[in-house]
Amino acid sequence: MNPVFTRRTLMLGAGISALLPLSACGSNSGAKDAAQGLASALTNLDVNGQRFVDTLASDAQASLQNIVRNMAGASVEVTAGDVTKGDNKDARTVPLHWAWTVDSSQQKWEYDTTATLNKIEDAWQTVWEQTLVHSDLTHTSGLQLVTDAPTRGEILGAHDSKIVALRPVVRVGLDKTQLSDEEQQSKSARALAELVDVDADAYENTVKNAGDQQFVEAIVLREEAFKELDRAKLDAIDGVHTAEDSLPLAPSAGFAPDILGSVDDASEEDVKNSDGTISAGQQVGRGGLQGRFQDQLGGTYGYAVNIVNLETDGSPGYKLSTPQEVKAVDGKPMTITLDADLQQKAVDLLAGQTSPSAIVALRVSTGEIITAANGEASEGFSTALLAQYAPGSTFKVPTSLALLRKNFTPESTVNCSESVTVDGQTFKNASTYPADALGEQPLSVAVAQSCNTAFINERDTVSQEDLQNAAKSLGVEMSVDLGIDAFMGTVPATDSEVTHAASLIGQGDVLVSPLAMAVVAASAAKGEIVKPVLVKDAGLEEAKPAGDSVTADEAKQLQKLMRGVVEDGGLKPLLELTPNVAYGKTGTAEYGNDNPPKTHSWVIAVHQDIAMALVVEDGDFGSITGAPIALEYLKAASA
């Protein structure tokens, strides 16, 4: 039976239809699909596949490209809202939400526009207008993105001195517009590479692959380094171009590069791996503190989006308005403990060393590292903080502490024999050891003259575990976070009889860094473990000692033993210091298979509130190589 429709039924059906949203009506579903397709096309900034009222898709695409051509560094996501009925049954309007993401900024630019859809020949087509992209646009205007770079935070040192700050540099390279052909490009590239000492093959290839209109940078030089170039040779190179700039730099190229790190322009890889937080041209920190604290020092990039009048070639003309502006947030400065003058003094003192070398110094009272300098032969490696060397006789300070804990005193007698054999291995004293200090001697003499056999003869008194615990009590193996990596030494808990004997005089499997030995000296001076500090107020995890601390009474006896090294041993040059209160220990550690073996030259020393350690990888006795350098450094620190 066919249904019977009454007037009431028809009226009720019409009422239900009027209450339904347009998106639910069959006549509107096509408009919804068209709106979503339009939003997707605008997101891709490609509307070539869309249909427009009285406008070719190619013309709409050309208009869109003109509008956004100056928005490089930004991407957009466009979403369509609910479709609503327009002025007639074949017209619809749809709100479009635009959300622009700007590289290196976390703040999006969001706004809404409205698109009009008309149904023509059973297909919904868009009315193309510039206001579809932004309501303030006209047919002669477009969008322009301008980034706002923050000022990078400075790195300050002791006394608020500027360690890393903007300093003048010169960018040196080739302007390819001045080079007529590949042969000339190649010739100039190789000549410039040779002059500024960069890889000629690599630079030639970079120039070859760069765009025709590009300036191709070869090197960035400090202003003073640029002035040292042979200007006649530079000017003779076709296409050479220089540009003055400034970069965050330390006072000199050799000033703690391992600690500070560096700053340069972001690479393609940086941009790719940054999840949108870094954009091309942005400065980023690499390594050291610059890399670790990039977020703090780098600040946050800002940007502005201007509506500008477009020139005939699409380039931006005069500004009409600024609908979006996000101010850059400058980087925050950070303060470290390095003393700029003393750091540079240490660099200068190590300048003549032909093997890796380092000086580390810290304040006994606070643990603040005031110097962590490496010699030029370290070639950028942090010998000061990361080197792993046998400490030689400087380790007789922890060994002496282990003896003190066995009820020894500085006056206790030890046997400084000419030699001692342990499980077939013979140990001797240095060839320069004084004959009148052999035999039964007070421990104080054994330390002052650095008698190896006296300590090895006590190998049954001090176990390897005793030695390890004593070293830990002076800061060895401490867990530290300086803001950069550091090695605080290692002393095996168990060892063979021969290696244990060697460990007592800082050989065997004992390894330390200059930082670790500076902490040993400082802890002996303070009477408690000194925790090293490099970065102030950075929220870093506090250092954690690996064992119980040296006591004040033990420290007094260690100081007496170490003072003897200044008064009667290898550190006599330190008697020149004012006031005359210095104490310390020299060390010479054999390494390698040469005959005679090469030696590390060591000094640890304390003068007033400064504790220091010095190492030269391939040096003479500590008293010969290290003592004069230690004297000059401590003089400067006392001035």
Side-chain angles (χ1 to χ4, degrees), residues 173-513:
L174 294 177
D175 178 359
K176 289 189 68 173
T177 64
Q178 304 299 312
L179 300 171
S180 58
D181 53 40
E182 287 191 9
E183 182 179 353
Q184 190 180 30
Q185 292 171 12
S186 176
K187 180 180 178 182
S188 292
R190 299 194 73 84
L192 181 57
E194 181 179 352
L195 181 63
V196 299
D197 195 24
V198 300
D199 187 301
D201 292 337
Y203 184 57
E204 180 184 15
N205 189 57
T206 301
V207 171
K208 178 181 177 181
N209 293 327
D212 292 337
Q213 304 299 316
Q214 284 197 21
F215 164 67
V216 188
E217 186 175 281
I219 195 170
V220 180
L221 295 173
R222 289 173 179 264
E223 188 177 57
E224 56 271 24
F226 176 73
K227 291 178 179 178
E228 293 176 359
L229 289 179
D230 188 323
R231 291 306 302 269
K233 290 184 177 180
L234 182 67
D235 294 340
I237 299 172
D238 292 335
V240 73
H241 180 74
T242 61
E244 294 182 353
D245 199 355
S246 61
L247 285 176
L249 295 173
S252 69
F255 190 106
D258 56 317
I259 292 175
L260 300 174
S262 61
V263 179
D264 60 15
D265 294 338
S267 65
E268 291 184 9
E269 185 177 359
D270 292 326
V271 175
K272 180 180 178 181
N273 296 332
S274 70
D275 294 327
T277 61
I278 296 174
S279 60
Q282 183 176 347
Q283 288 187 339
V284 294
R286 302 192 189 283
L289 298 176
Q290 293 283 10
R292 170 79 180 269
F293 295 94
Q294 166 65 24
D295 290 345
Q296 173 183 336
L297 295 168
T300 303
Y301 271 62
Y303 68 92
V305 180
N306 300 321
I307 293 180
V308 295
N309 185 65
L310 295 175
E311 304 292 349
T312 55
D313 63 354
S315 61
Y318 57 85
K319 182 172 66 175
L320 298 170
S321 63
T322 303
Q324 173 75 348
E325 186 172 17
V326 177
K327 294 290 187 182
V329 178
D330 290 341
K332 297 179 181 178
M334 66 185 303
T335 300
I336 63 176
T337 58
L338 292 184
D339 184 298
D341 292 337
L342 292 177
Q343 177 75 14
Q344 190 60 54
K345 178 68 175 180
V347 171
D348 294 342
L349 287 170
L350 296 173
Q353 300 303 322
T354 57
S355 66
S357 55
I359 293 174
V360 176
L362 45 81
R363 297 197 182 280
V364 174
S365 57
T366 63
E368 294 177 351
I369 300 171
I370 58 174
T371 297
N374 306 298
E376 187 175 345
S378 293
E379 298 181 344
F381 177 70
S382 184
T383 302
L385 305 181
L386 292 174
Q388 299 186 19
Y389 292 136
S393 291
T394 58
F395 203 69
K396 289 171 182 173
V397 175
T399 306
S400 294
L401 175 58
L403 287 171
L404 294 174
R405 289 176 171 178
K406 298 296 183 178
N407 298 318
F408 277 61
T409 69
E411 293 74 30
S412 296
T413 300
V414 293
N415 178 21
C416 184
S417 55
E418 289 190 9
S419 65
V420 56
T421 299
V422 179
D423 196 21
Q425 176 71 46
T426 299
F427 294 87
K428 297 180 179 181
N429 297 309
S431 59
T432 57
Y433 192 84
D436 59 1
L438 291 170
E440 298 293 315
Q441 299 287 346
L443 177 61
S444 58
V445 172
V447 172
Q449 300 301 326
S450 204
C451 180
N452 293 333
T453 58
F455 289 91
I456 295 173
N457 283 328
E458 298 298 335
R459 62 191 180 279
D460 293 332
T461 305
V462 173
S463 69
Q464 188 68 18
E465 185 178 4
D466 293 333
L467 183 62
Q468 183 194 54
N469 289 335
K472 289 179 178 179
S473 294
L474 291 167
V476 177
E477 296 190 6
M478 191 185 337
S479 173
V480 298
D481 182 2
L482 300 178
I484 55 176
D485 292 339
F487 174 66
M488 289 302 296
T490 179
V491 181
T494 58
D495 232 328
S496 68
E497 187 177 0
V498 171
T499 309
H500 170 55
S503 296
L504 293 167
I505 57 172
Q507 301 265 188
D509 293 331
V510 177
L511 294 172
V512 295
S513 65

Side-chain angles (χ1 to χ4, degrees), residues 44-61:
N44 294 322
L45 299 178
D46 183 358
V47 296
N48 280 306
Q50 298 296 300
R51 301 182 68 178
F52 296 96
V53 177
D54 297 330
T55 303
L56 294 175
S58 59
D59 291 340
Q61 178 63 22

